[in-house]
Amino acid sequence: MSLVLRTVTALTAALLLYGAVLETRAQTATPTPPIFVPRPFGAIPRPTPTPARKFPISEEQERPIPKSWIIGGAIAAAIVIGGILFGAARAWRSSNLFGRAYRFPVSSEPAAVRFGGEKCGGHMATVRFDGRSDRTRTSESKDA
Amino acid sequence: MRARVIRGAASPIQGESPPMKCPSCATPLDAPAPRCPHCKLSLHKLDSVFGMVPAHSRFFTDRSGTLALDEIKRIRTQLRLFHQKFPQALLSVVVTELAGGGSAAEFAFWMANRARFTSAEKTRGDNFNLLLAIDLTGRAAALTTGYGLEKHVPEEALQNALNEFARAQREHGVAAGIKACIASLVRQLRELADETKGEELQEAQTGSDSW
């Protein structure tokens, strides 16, 4: 009895599956026709032909840019950018943007006063605008 | 080359006094003297040559009236920047026309001692000021320092700065010369300050090692 029941159940399931497959096939086989069909008025114009090139492309033009050129260009650009950054860093440094201050140590020994000067003892250099130094001039006059 | 010259000069930490010369006749002195044994120069003698201290400002004074206002502004800005970099030192520039005798060197020595560029002028070893005096009549310039900088800034460094002044002045005028001189001083003093600091650190290390 149970065997008969099992067989009937299996057959029913098989029939149901087959029916589903048939229904799917029927749906895909018949596409829906479009509602509006374009019907252009008059004669259909011919497609515009592609214009011919005035200057034919040579093989050299079609070739890609060599890698060595790209690498060279990149290196040159890096050098230029590096130079600009270096110049900017120097400018920043010289304009004291980073605010660094320099100090000299104060001597513990008292300085001996020379020529009666309390602030300056004549430690100096001189120059003439024509490029000759006063020291040279003095020695020259002494020699003369 | 410039750096070599500076490094080749007497080390500032060694405690040796730099060679002393008379600002007038450049005669070297063996010991500090109240007047030059050769030309008898003294500060009191220069008072009679130059008279009263001329009106001057802290950073820049143009007694000749030859420089344009915008140039003066730029120079003042550069001098202020110098003071920011070296807070101990005040670099003043005086442009003048010495008509009644006296050289630029004598004028620089006299002004550096008699003028008051700051409200609280420091004396002797505490004076780190610099003065650039330019005489347009005599076509000469002098750059001098206070006693405080003598051990750290050799005469070669001052001479280098003045040579830069003369070179730029010849090509572009006095204002360009002053700017070149300031730039040269900044460069050299920065190196010298760094060297002094390094030598001080070394001394401190050797001192602590010996202890």
Side-chain angles (χ1 to χ4, degrees), chain B residues 27-50:
Chain B
T27 303
L29 303 179
D30 297 329
R35 61 173 57 194
C36 173
H38 186 251
C39 68
K40 310 293 180 203
L41 176 100
S42 70
L43 193 61
H44 291 293
K45 193 181 168 187
L46 289 177
D47 284 337
S48 60
V49 175
F50 295 113

Side-chain angles (χ1 to χ4, degrees), chain B residues 187-207:
Chain B
R187 221 168 27 241
Q188 295 184 88
L189 261 65
R190 208 161 46 196
E191 282 180 23
L192 289 164
D194 280 341
E195 280 177 23
T196 308
K197 200 176 174 183
E199 285 173 26
E200 264 196 333
L201 282 172
Q202 266 190 349
E203 276 205 348
Q205 276 180 353
T206 49

Side-chain angles (χ1 to χ4, degrees), chain A residues 102 104 114-115 117-118 123, chain B residues 33 85 88 124 147 150 153:
Chain A
Y102 298 83
F104 292 96
R114 300 195 294 272
F115 313 115
E118 283 282 334
H123 178 70
Chain B
K85 279 181 192 294
Q88 292 168 302
R124 302 217 184 179
Y147 286 110
E150 280 186 3
V153 182

Side-chain angles (χ1 to χ4, degrees), chain B residues 95-165:
Chain B
V95 182
T96 187
E97 289 171 329
L98 297 175
S103 66
E106 288 169 350
F107 180 74
F109 170 70
W110 177 73
M111 273 296 276
N113 281 293
R114 289 290 185 233
R116 289 178 67 87
F117 291 104
T118 53
S119 55
E121 283 284 311
K122 294 187 172 176
T123 57
R124 302 217 184 179
D126 293 330
N127 190 301
F128 286 81
N129 292 350
L130 293 114
L131 176 68
L132 170 64
I134 300 161
D135 174 23
L136 295 181
T137 309
R139 308 291 292 169
L143 181 60
T144 185
T145 71
Y147 286 110
L149 278 180
E150 280 186 3
K151 284 186 177 177
H152 311 297
V153 182
E155 264 188 13
E156 285 86 347
L158 302 176
Q159 194 65 55
N160 285 338
L162 276 186
N163 291 341
E164 291 287 324
F165 164 81

Side-chain angles (χ1 to χ4, degrees), chain B residues 45-68:
Chain B
K45 193 181 168 187
L46 289 177
D47 284 337
S48 60
V49 175
F50 295 113
M52 282 183 66
V53 178
H56 55 275
S57 57
R58 193 179 187 205
F59 289 111
F60 184 81
T61 309
D62 182 14
R63 301 283 302 165
S64 66
T66 50
L67 272 75

